């Protein structure tokens, strides 16, 4: 699971840098995984 968290963090970083956005909204099953919502922002 740590590998998925790290990959998600890198992917979101790329999206934020390209689109210069202030908010990322995760939907579907990803938004229901508390572990991702806690760990990914730390990375």
């Amino acid at each position: 699971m740590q590998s998925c968290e790290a990959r998600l963090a890198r992917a979101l970083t790329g999206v934020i840098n390209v689109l210069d956005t202030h908010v990322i909204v995760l939907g579907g099953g990803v938004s229901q995984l508390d572990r991702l919502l806690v760990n990914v922002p730390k990375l």
Side-chain angles (χ1 to χ4, degrees):
M1 191 68 169
Q2 290 176 342
S3 174
C4 292
E5 292 169 354
R7 289 179 182 175
L8 179 61
R10 282 191 218 107
L12 291 175
T13 300
V15 169
I16 291 169
N17 288 333
V18 169
L19 299 179
D20 193 27
T21 184
H22 297 283
V23 176
I24 296 289
V25 177
L26 300 175
V30 176
S31 65
Q32 295 177 6
L33 295 174
D34 292 334
R35 179 183 169 130
L36 289 180
L37 298 177
V38 171
N39 293 335
V40 169
K42 292 178 186 178
L43 300 174

